Amino acid sequence: MIGWWGIAERAADVPETRAEEIHDDRDRAVEALFSEHRRSLIRLAVLLGADDAEDIVSEAFYHLYRRWRRLCSTDAALAYLRSVVINRTRMRLRHLQVARRQLQRDSGESPAVSSEALALLRDDQRAVVAALASLPDRQREALVLRYWMELREREIADAMGISPGAVKTHVSRGMAALTRAMEERR
């Protein structure tokens, strides 16, 4: 049977002790992933431009916890988390862009960068971050995952939902654009 009643019937067929074991395994696995990978996932969200990186990572772990039984294997959990972080960051950035454009139209102001953020970065770091921010989303994501997160092409492809060949293309084009931007700066 397909539908919610089929799920309920299958859950009822599982002995109570077995259901508790499955639940405990999920709890332990998600807790281990959280303690081991939370910081790197927050770093990923920050490098992709999220201003609420901790919230995004928390949401990713929430989605993982809810969908734990749907994973094809527990090894896929980290790739799933990265994918959720990338997608949530992308969604938040799009939302913020729309909201800022609307605010600018309403007030007639130009966008401002916080002075605290600028003061924290050295000049060369600012140039790299600015050049990185000017890249298309996919190129920026591929570069961040490759060079800051040190992921392999297959892991990047899984996280971004694209083929390894597309990862190579995005990384190559992104590096070429960053190189041009840094050479123009000199």
Side-chain angles (χ1 to χ4, degrees):
M1 280 197 278
I2 298 176
W4 67 270
W5 58 90
I7 293 170
E9 287 176 9
R10 275 187 254 131
D13 293 341
V14 176
E16 190 173 320
T17 56
R18 178 70 180 132
E20 288 174 8
E21 288 173 15
I22 292 170
H23 185 71
D24 289 344
D25 290 343
R26 174 179 66 173
D27 290 350
R28 279 192 294 274
V30 172
E31 184 178 337
L33 283 166
F34 183 82
S35 65
E36 187 174 342
H37 297 287
R38 180 183 65 86
R39 285 188 181 135
S40 66
L41 292 169
I42 289 172
R43 192 174 329 121
L44 171 63
V46 167
L47 289 170
L48 293 176
D51 57 353
D52 57 346
E54 290 182 0
D55 291 342
I56 289 172
V57 171
S58 295
E59 288 177 22
F61 277 99
Y62 168 73
H63 287 287
L64 174 67
Y65 188 81
R66 284 187 48 222
R67 291 176 175 83
W68 185 258
R69 290 185 185 155
R70 295 183 196 166
L71 290 177
C72 56
S73 73
T74 56
D75 297 333
L78 185 57
Y80 177 79
L81 284 168
R82 287 183 186 128
S83 177
V84 172
V85 168
I86 290 169
N87 290 332
R88 291 276 166 191
T89 301
R90 200 180 293 150
M91 286 174 23
R92 295 265 172 84
L93 290 174
R94 283 187 198 133
H95 173 75
L96 287 174
Q97 287 173 347
V98 170
R100 286 178 183 145
R101 270 191 243 127
Q102 185 61 40
L103 185 64
Q104 288 171 1
R105 281 188 215 127
D106 293 346
S107 65
E109 295 178 12
S110 61
V113 178
S114 78
S115 58
E116 295 88 11
L118 292 176
L120 292 175
L121 294 175
R122 293 193 334 239
D123 189 44
D124 56 341
Q125 290 172 325
R126 266 184 277 169
V128 171
V129 170
L132 191 62
S134 70
L135 294 176
D137 291 343
R138 293 287 182 162
Q139 290 177 13
R140 181 177 57 250
E141 291 166 3
L143 288 175
V144 167
L145 290 169
R146 174 69 183 100
Y147 295 106
W148 276 276
M149 301 297 294
E150 299 177 352
L151 299 181
R152 295 185 305 269
E153 287 174 1
R154 180 78 246 161
E155 293 171 317
I156 297 168
D158 291 342
M160 293 177 66
I162 58 177
S163 71
V167 169
K168 290 179 186 179
T169 301
H170 290 307
V171 168
S172 174
R173 290 179 183 169
M175 284 303 294
L178 281 178
T179 302
R180 281 192 305 275
M182 296 311 289
E183 286 176 356
E184 290 173 4
R185 184 175 181 272
R186 293 180 185 173

